[in-house]
Amino acid sequence: MGKKSRVKTQKSGSGAMAVVSPKEMMNLIAELLQKCSSAAASAGKEWEEYIQIRGLVERIRKKQKGMSIVFEGSREDHFPELMSWAKENGASCECFTVANFGKEGYGLRATRDIKAEELFLWIPRKMLMTVESAQNSILGPLYSQDRILQAMGNVTLALHLLCERANPASFWLPYIRSLPQEYDIPLYYQQEDVQLLLGTQAVQDVLSQYKNTARQYAYFYKLVQTHPTASKLPLKDCFTFDDYRWAVSSVMTRQNQIPTEDGSRVTLALIPLWDMCNHTNGLITTGYNLEDDRCECVALQDYKENEQIYIFYGTRSNAEFVIHNGFFFQDDAHDRVKIKLGVSKSERLYAMKAEVLARAGIPASYVFALHCNEPPISAQLLAFLRVFCMTEDELKYYLLGDRAINKIFTLGNSEFPVSWENEIKLWTFLETRAALLLKTYKTTSEEDRSMLEKPDLSLHSRMAIQLRLAEKQILEKALACGRAKRLYFQKKLEEGASLPCYEESDIALLENTEADAKLPVILRKVEEGQEIQVDEDSPLLNGMKVVYGTNAEANGERDQDNNVSTDVNSALASMECSSQREEANLSASRTEDEPKENTV
């Protein structure tokens, strides 16, 4: 059990052994690197670029067939060794075991009753695979010389994983053997499965994920073959695209942030055994105990013997679950759809609007979200839309006077409209914007539901359609909400109703009274993304930025007109045009304060 076999040649169709020419492979790798490092595809050409990149990758994969490292036996065969290894090295294993839960895959099953908030699992630091353990491994010399590895901790973890997998004496081998041999993220989708996502809000991230992974592979393949330090790694004779895809996927679906030993900063880590837990709605119950130097997890709820133990991965959308974790979560309480909005710099009132937004801590151009629950917009998005739709006189009201700063605090509070006309404009805008986004899909919600009833639908096709349908349902709810709000405020205007006035002592200033998680009215500043200083001329990063988080932009503009519908529709027409200018993101190290954050 656990032995590995590696084949360096592949069989041709006639049964003869065909050795892959190093020169031929390097030419293909160079072509792939050049294609992936070129300027971002123009709007509407992203799919064509994906097809070209995928074609090159498939040619490389065909020549590398049979060359990857494969462990004998099934994944399940290695779980007893994983449990024994964990116990020997100080992990807690007394109240659970690894079990198969059907469609949910493998997870942890309670072997006794566990109370909510009971500490049931801890993993000491020495068991974790981290950027620091990579620096202290055979990868260390290359890490000290390569700026890409230094900038991208998740890529470092991926190569660390591959080097340890190739080492029969690796301390982490019991863990590595227990990992899946394949994953269900879009990197493993067939082309027709990816095609099902065309027109969705998520497709750009899917295409970028594939391009980024292909570029990284080509860069490191060339490095391993030519760099004096890299050539000493156990990857020189066997480093296939499938190997790298597996390593990237393992990290993407499992990486987390933990503090360094001195607690001064955070680092990325793979956490054995704990990463077997599946997701459900709830609260984050995992933390790091610096005193005992271990990762700890308490029970999210009461669990009876033989029940599955779940954890909460964080407030992720289904797009994030599908792209970075490889599953669709039907009851996602935090599902949302990205919506790119911005005030055009060419607009006459741009300076005034940007200043009001800046005082509220909101960028003039940002990627917001429409949520699956009520209300579909956050206090931050409500504030943005109010400013976006303001007239010159309304802007002056929020900019001038002794109490101007206090007025800013009310922008995200639904109880204090700017004016009835402003509310009509913003909800008309949202209604129309949602309707336009729904028109970009190639199928209707009814057609998606019909397709999901087909019994022979593949898992990846099913996830793609489920994600597509979930996006539409969120947009449909936003459209309905926008229509209802528009009609409500039109009635208020027609009735000549008085606007609610606020007093500084009014308790309503402290929170949004709608079901918006009671957000503070004082809106927190949104960070637009922390850039890592790396060589912009690097072939791996050519044309891309390494960022934390998503920071795509789209500009929008609207004409000044007294007619509400003309005003809003002009803005929409301009925003539709500019929103097609996608900014490609190399989300290389996007880890936040939640478990299992992952983007390579």
Side-chain angles (χ1 to χ4, degrees):
M1 181 179 73
K3 293 181 181 178
K4 64 173 184 284
S5 60
R6 183 169 62 190
V7 183
K8 298 182 182 179
T9 57
Q10 65 177 26
K11 294 183 179 180
S12 66
S14 62
M17 300 299 290
V19 178
V20 179
S21 164
K23 182 178 180 180
E24 182 183 7
M25 183 59 67
M26 284 299 289
N27 287 339
L28 280 173
I29 292 295
E31 187 178 354
L32 179 62
L33 184 58
Q34 181 179 12
K35 182 64 183 177
C36 293
S37 301
S38 58
S42 57
K45 298 291 185 179
E46 296 92 349
W47 177 251
E48 181 181 329
E49 180 188 59
Y50 168 78
I51 296 299
Q52 293 171 356
I53 293 173
R54 188 178 181 111
L56 282 170
V57 168
E58 289 305 314
R59 287 170 62 189
I60 291 171
R61 291 185 66 227
K62 184 176 180 180
K63 293 182 179 299
Q64 294 174 337
K65 187 175 182 181
M67 296 176 65
S68 297
I69 293 176
V70 178
F71 293 118
E72 293 179 355
S74 68
R75 184 186 178 196
E76 193 169 1
D77 293 338
H78 302 294
F79 291 149
E81 184 183 10
L82 171 68
M83 295 290 286
S84 298
W85 173 74
K87 187 174 181 180
E88 291 169 3
N89 286 281
S92 60
C93 308
E94 290 74 26
C95 56
F96 60 84
T97 188
V98 180
N100 192 332
F101 292 94
K103 291 182 179 180
E104 289 184 277
Y106 291 103
L108 297 187
R109 184 179 65 199
T111 54
R112 64 167 175 80
D113 291 354
I114 301 174
K115 295 294 184 182
E117 299 185 8
E118 177 184 345
L119 177 61
F120 75 95
L121 173 60
W122 59 84
I123 307 291
R125 181 182 295 272
K126 68 178 181 178
M127 287 179 58
L128 312 185
M129 296 188 74
T130 66
V131 172
E132 283 65 35
S133 66
Q135 290 176 256
N136 296 324
S137 72
I138 193 174
L139 192 61
L142 179 62
Y143 180 91
S144 66
Q145 299 175 44
D146 188 81
R147 298 178 68 186
I148 303 302
L149 290 177
Q150 294 168 16
M152 302 170 69
N154 46 4
V155 173
T156 298
L157 276 182
L159 292 180
H160 185 27
L161 196 59
L162 285 173
C163 289
E164 295 301 320
R165 186 178 72 162
N167 177 12
S170 172
F171 169 73
W172 291 284
L173 210 54
Y175 169 60
I176 296 171
R177 286 170 175 158
S178 73
L179 294 173
Q181 293 184 9
E182 292 186 347
Y183 290 87
D184 293 314
I185 62 173
L187 285 177
Y188 284 84
Y189 281 19
Q190 296 297 316
Q191 184 173 307
E192 54 267 29
D193 299 326
V194 180
Q195 196 163 7
L196 292 170
L197 291 171
L198 288 179
T200 67
Q201 303 299 299
V203 70
Q204 186 60 46
D205 290 338
V206 171
L207 301 184
S208 294
Q209 181 189 67
Y210 194 91
K211 180 179 180 179
N212 295 340
T213 302
R215 179 173 61 252
Q216 292 163 15
Y217 171 70
Y219 171 84
F220 284 108
Y221 183 95
K222 184 177 180 181
L223 193 72
V224 166
Q225 298 300 320
T226 60
H227 194 284
T229 302
S231 63
K232 297 177 183 178
L233 299 177
L235 307 178
K236 183 173 177 62
D237 296 328
C238 181
F239 182 40
T240 68
F241 178 84
D242 284 359
D243 287 335
Y244 188 70
R245 179 177 62 173
W246 170 83
V248 162
S249 302
S250 296
V251 172
M252 189 179 300
T253 57
R254 283 165 160 74
Q255 70 177 358
N256 283 272
Q257 285 187 335
I258 66 165
T260 53
E261 285 193 69
D262 61 5
S264 63
R265 56 189 177 85
V266 294
T267 187
L268 293 180
L270 298 177
I271 307 174
L273 207 59
W274 174 83
D275 62 11
M276 294 294 301
C277 293
N278 287 318
H279 166 80
T280 193
N281 288 319
L283 300 171
I284 292 175
T285 56
T286 302
Y288 200 89
N289 185 330
L290 274 173
E291 184 176 349
D292 293 327
D293 202 19
R294 66 188 191 184
C295 178
E296 296 182 342
C297 185
V298 299
L300 182 61
Q301 62 191 53
D302 288 343
Y303 293 107
K304 297 292 185 182
E305 183 179 354
N306 292 323
E307 287 185 340
Q308 183 176 181
I309 302 171
Y310 292 96
I311 61 173
F312 177 58
Y313 289 8
T315 56
R316 300 184 186 179
S317 67
N318 261 314
E320 291 170 315
F321 281 135
V322 169
I323 295 170
H324 304 307
N325 294 93
F327 66 85
F328 180 89
F329 189 61
Q330 192 66 52
D331 300 316
D332 188 3
H334 305 281
D335 206 5
R336 55 194 178 273
V337 170
K338 293 186 294 185
I339 179 170
K340 296 170 290 184
L341 301 174
V343 182
S344 173
K345 291 183 179 180
S346 64
E347 184 186 339
R348 183 175 66 86
L349 299 176
Y350 173 79
M352 296 177 72
K353 291 182 178 182
E355 177 60 27
V356 175
L357 289 169
R359 293 183 184 185
I362 304 173
S365 183
Y366 198 66
V367 178
F368 297 95
L370 297 176
H371 297 268
C372 64
N373 40 31
E374 293 292 337
I377 65 174
S378 64
Q380 183 193 53
L381 180 51
L382 175 61
F384 176 88
L385 290 174
R386 281 175 168 173
V387 177
F388 182 79
C389 294
M390 280 184 185
T391 63
E392 186 171 357
D393 287 340
E394 288 168 344
L395 288 165
K396 289 179 179 178
Y397 176 77
Y398 282 85
L399 285 172
L400 305 176
D402 295 336
R403 300 173 62 190
I405 190 63
N406 294 333
K407 300 168 190 173
I408 295 290
F409 294 162
T410 66
L411 285 173
N413 193 303
S414 60
E415 290 195 357
F416 299 107
V418 173
S419 66
W420 298 133
E421 292 86 353
N422 182 269
E423 290 294 308
I424 294 169
K425 286 180 183 180
L426 79 88
W427 291 109
T428 302
F429 174 88
L430 183 66
E431 177 187 0
T432 312
R433 179 68 171 171
L436 286 172
L437 289 172
L438 281 167
K439 289 180 180 179
T440 65
Y441 293 90
K442 300 181 182 298
T443 58
T444 65
S445 296
E446 291 71 22
E447 289 171 333
D448 286 347
R449 293 187 184 95
S450 178
M451 292 177 69
L452 289 172
E453 293 177 359
K454 296 180 180 179
D456 58 343
L457 202 62
S458 72
L459 173 63
H460 295 166
S461 291
R462 182 172 298 278
M463 282 198 294
I465 297 170
Q466 285 176 317
L467 179 56
R468 190 172 69 190
L469 176 60
E471 286 189 0
K472 293 174 189 172
Q473 290 173 330
I474 292 172
L475 292 171
E476 287 164 355
K477 287 181 180 178
L479 188 153
C481 178
R483 180 184 298 117
K485 292 282 189 179
R486 171 177 56 81
L487 294 174
Y488 172 79
F489 288 112
Q490 283 178 343
K491 185 177 180 181
K492 286 286 187 181
L493 179 63
E494 292 166 359
E495 293 173 346
S498 300
L499 281 172
C501 296
Y502 80 91
E503 298 293 338
E504 291 185 45
S505 60
D506 198 322
I507 190 66
L509 277 175
L510 300 178
E511 60 188 23
N512 188 324
T513 54
E514 288 197 30
D516 198 5
K518 300 298 182 182
L519 287 175
V521 174
I522 302 177
L523 301 171
R524 291 177 294 175
K525 183 175 181 180
V526 178
E527 297 296 333
E528 295 194 35
Q530 177 187 349
E531 289 191 19
I532 303 174
Q533 297 302 315
V534 295
D535 185 2
E536 294 292 342
D537 296 325
S538 165
L540 183 63
L541 302 177
N542 187 19
M544 312 292 280
K545 287 184 179 180
V546 182
V547 301
Y548 287 95
T550 302
N551 187 33
E553 294 185 357
N555 294 326
E557 58 182 327
R558 64 184 187 91
D559 299 324
Q560 297 301 310
D561 196 301
N562 291 328
N563 183 281
V564 171
S565 61
T566 302
D567 188 49
V568 172
N569 289 331
S570 297
L572 282 168
S574 177
M575 291 189 67
E576 273 302 296
C577 178
S578 60
S579 69
Q580 294 177 4
R581 299 192 293 271
E582 292 279 356
E583 177 181 341
N585 287 313
L586 179 59
S587 301
S589 299
R590 203 185 74 185
T591 53
E592 302 171 345
D593 59 346
E594 56 189 45
K596 293 195 175 183
E597 185 56 66
N598 38 49
T599 308
V600 177

